Amino acid sequence: METSGRGEIAGRGDGADRAEVQAAASEEDPLALRLEQLILGAERRYTPFQAARSAGVSVELATRFWRAMGFADIGQAKALTEADVLALRRLSGLVEAGLLSEAMAVQVARSTGQTTARLAEWQIDSFLEGLTEPPEPGMTRTEVTYPLVELLLPELEEFLVYVWRRQLAAATGRVVQAADDEEMVDRRLAVGFADLVGFTRLTRRMEEEELGELVEAFETTAADLVAAHGGRLIKTLGDEVLYAADDAGVAAEIALRLIETMAGDETMPELRVGIAFGTVTTRMGDVFGTTVNLASRLTSIAPKDAVLVDGAFAEELTRTGDAPVSEAAAADEAAAAEKEGEEPPSYRFVLQPMWQRAVRGLGVVEPWQLRRRSN
């Protein structure tokens, strides 16, 4: 959207033209309009200029919020509702009260829009599509959709708020436990990538529906394992998942569980995992930095059904007592404990040093292969 001389949002460009065409098309479809009103809880009343004026904000700021949430320019179409005006008032009110800077408010809009867009797409593509199968011959899918959405909407809304509050509480707890203010932003984490081996070849051999089912099964299994063992799933990339954990032992357990679980499923290809430990910058739920890049590179050179970790991760595992410094050291500890009539140390993992390798963009690294240890 661009602003005209009067400060209104002009309908220039392909994005605005498409949006106006789509808005007009939906107005011609009574069911689409009824569904929109049901979901939004309000009918269309405002153009973008009118909505901004009613909310008491500049059109420029309203446009930034609108785009940040992921919506196309709509020119001067009367497509906005009272709910849009209220959202503008709330965000701008946070800025006026000094609780958020304008840039931060735009970030709030962008992060919320990106997250909920993916959720909404999934619910429509997978959830509602399956549930709106006509129950009786002669009924159309559209005849089933409206009453179903009407029943599901309040329940899904309540559940969404509940999960968001739970996630917010968990994230807040992690942040306030940080050692200092700097660590709240740049934190030391274990970051792991898990990658399906030979996925590109699979895409050429499998039908689209079969491939989609495999990816969904992989993502679901990975998400469940990461959550169950105390990690955080950062994102999924089809044949790859990225996760993080505050504790190296947790990240190691997740990696080996992923390998073991996929190896036990004949329908799944082999898996490889790379983990690095170090300072990580977090932004909008994602992680960035050299540690993340190193974990990705380790994944690309890991053997099939194996886990490679960097030196910092290996040091952290030995520091926390999850792995011995070496098998020789573990044997000496066991002999000393036996001599004293005590139980020898029990280690969960073993680390085997591998050959040093030149890693693109990161220089020479010495990876370690991580395995379970039989005590």
Side-chain angles (χ1 to χ4, degrees):
M1 286 182 276
E2 296 185 13
T3 55
S4 68
R6 292 182 303 148
E8 295 190 28
I9 302 174
R12 299 174 185 157
D14 293 339
D17 294 341
R18 281 197 302 272
E20 288 177 328
V21 169
Q22 290 168 355
S26 63
E27 284 181 346
E28 295 170 4
D29 186 337
L31 178 62
L33 190 58
R34 285 177 62 216
L35 278 170
E36 180 188 282
Q37 291 177 357
L38 171 65
I39 294 170
L40 296 180
E43 60 183 20
R44 298 174 178 181
R45 292 182 54 190
Y46 303 99
T47 66
F49 173 72
Q50 291 169 338
R53 184 172 59 183
S54 181
V57 303
S58 69
V59 175
E60 289 78 8
L61 183 58
T63 300
R64 290 185 67 196
F65 286 153
W66 184 253
R67 288 176 174 173
M69 287 186 288
F71 299 119
D73 295 352
I74 57 175
Q76 284 309 303
K78 185 174 284 189
L80 303 183
T81 72
E82 198 66 49
D84 297 303
V85 172
L86 181 59
L88 282 175
R89 284 179 186 153
R90 282 176 171 159
L91 272 180
S92 62
L94 292 173
V95 175
E96 290 174 7
L99 295 172
L100 294 178
S101 66
E102 186 173 306
M104 182 60 70
V106 172
Q107 269 198 341
V108 168
R110 179 170 291 112
S111 61
T112 306
Q114 289 178 359
T115 303
T116 52
R118 184 178 181 187
L119 174 63
E121 289 287 348
W122 178 87
Q123 287 175 331
I124 294 301
D125 291 345
S126 302
F127 190 46
L128 288 178
E129 184 178 348
L131 288 177
T132 55
E133 196 67 38
E136 297 179 10
M139 290 188 69
T140 64
R141 187 182 295 274
T142 54
E143 289 174 327
V144 181
T145 301
Y146 188 92
L148 182 65
V149 171
E150 192 173 27
L151 290 171
L152 283 174
L153 188 62
E155 302 301 324
L156 291 177
E157 183 177 18
E158 289 291 331
F159 188 70
L160 174 62
V161 173
Y162 156 74
V163 175
W164 170 71
R165 284 181 176 272
R166 267 288 176 190
Q167 293 286 5
L168 189 64
T172 303
R174 289 192 296 269
V175 169
V176 298
Q177 291 177 31
D180 51 45
D181 290 345
E182 185 176 343
E183 192 179 330
M184 287 186 180
V185 179
D186 297 319
R187 305 164 59 193
R188 286 178 62 79
L189 298 174
V191 178
F193 277 94
D195 177 57
L196 292 175
V197 178
F199 185 76
T200 303
R201 291 194 302 274
L202 283 176
T203 60
R204 294 193 288 264
R205 296 204 314 263
M206 300 177 71
E207 296 291 334
E208 286 188 8
E209 184 174 350
E210 187 181 8
L211 188 65
E213 290 174 354
L214 183 144
V215 168
E216 184 176 357
F218 169 58
E219 291 183 348
T220 300
T221 301
D224 287 348
L225 285 172
V226 169
H229 294 281
R232 298 188 297 285
L233 186 68
I234 304 299
K235 59 186 173 183
T236 59
L237 304 168
D239 62 329
E240 190 173 59
V241 298
L242 169 61
Y243 70 93
D246 298 310
D247 181 81
V250 168
E253 182 65 30
I254 290 170
L256 293 172
R257 292 269 182 173
L258 284 169
I259 295 286
E260 293 158 359
T261 302
M262 297 301 168
D265 187 342
E266 295 180 354
T267 66
M268 283 289 175
E270 294 95 344
L271 191 70
R272 56 190 176 190
V273 182
I275 315 176
F277 186 85
T279 301
V280 173
T281 298
T282 59
R283 289 289 186 276
M284 293 178 64
D286 208 343
V287 290
F288 307 92
T290 302
T291 302
V292 181
N293 296 337
L294 179 54
S296 178
R297 299 288 188 272
L298 288 170
T299 306
S300 65
I301 64 175
K304 296 177 181 179
D305 288 336
V307 182
L308 286 189
V309 305
D310 74 328
F313 187 88
E315 288 179 10
E316 185 67 10
L317 276 186
T318 58
R319 186 189 69 80
T320 57
D322 286 305
V325 174
S326 66
E327 284 302 301
D332 290 342
E333 290 170 348
E338 184 178 358
K339 185 176 180 180
E340 297 293 330
E342 299 174 351
E343 284 290 324
S346 179
Y347 296 107
R348 300 163 59 195
F349 311 110
V350 63
L351 294 158
Q352 178 185 348
M354 310 291 284
W355 292 105
Q356 288 186 344
R357 306 205 187 173
V359 176
R360 180 167 53 88
L362 297 171
V364 177
V365 299
E366 182 181 358
W368 298 68
Q369 185 168 347
L370 173 75
R371 299 195 307 274
R372 290 200 185 281
R373 188 173 190 273
S374 176
N375 290 292

